[in-house]
Amino acid sequence: MSQTGLNLFIPMELLINSLNALSLSEKQQLWLILDEAITDAEEDDWREDEETKKEIQLVRDEYANGEYMTFQQYLNQRK
């Protein structure tokens, strides 16, 4: 089954009015959809960020060099 995209321009005021007309369960369903879309967009954003790439590589290097603490060690340290 193929999917076809459709780009629409909907004025913000019309969109807000339409959202206000939704039932609570429809708003919750939309919230879940938006939350997932926002999370995906944020992940894409940090993956493309040069500073974040450097930090991730630094952590990977530290792990490869054995510079890490297990979760159990962390818990024991907190006692």
Side-chain angles (χ1 to χ4, degrees):
M1 173 185 242
S2 68
Q3 294 181 339
T4 304
L6 177 64
N7 291 325
L8 296 175
F9 173 77
I10 301 172
M12 187 60 76
E13 184 177 351
L14 179 59
L15 181 59
I16 292 170
N17 290 339
S18 298
L19 293 173
N20 287 333
L22 296 175
S23 70
L24 177 59
S25 65
E26 290 169 327
K27 287 176 183 175
Q28 290 170 330
Q29 183 179 6
L30 181 58
W31 184 358
L32 293 174
I33 293 168
L34 288 172
D35 186 52
E36 184 176 336
I38 290 169
T39 300
D40 290 345
E42 288 174 341
E43 286 180 11
D44 290 343
D45 187 50
W46 67 255
R47 285 184 182 149
E48 295 173 6
D49 179 64
E50 288 304 316
E51 187 63 30
T52 303
K53 285 180 181 179
K54 290 176 187 175
E55 290 178 23
I56 291 171
Q57 188 58 52
L58 178 64
V59 171
R60 287 179 176 159
D61 292 344
E62 289 174 352
Y63 182 79
N65 293 327
E67 301 171 31
Y68 63 91
M69 180 184 303
T70 66
F71 187 64
Q72 189 59 49
Q73 289 170 325
Y74 171 77
L75 291 176
N76 291 339
Q77 177 183 331
R78 293 190 62 192
K79 289 182 182 179

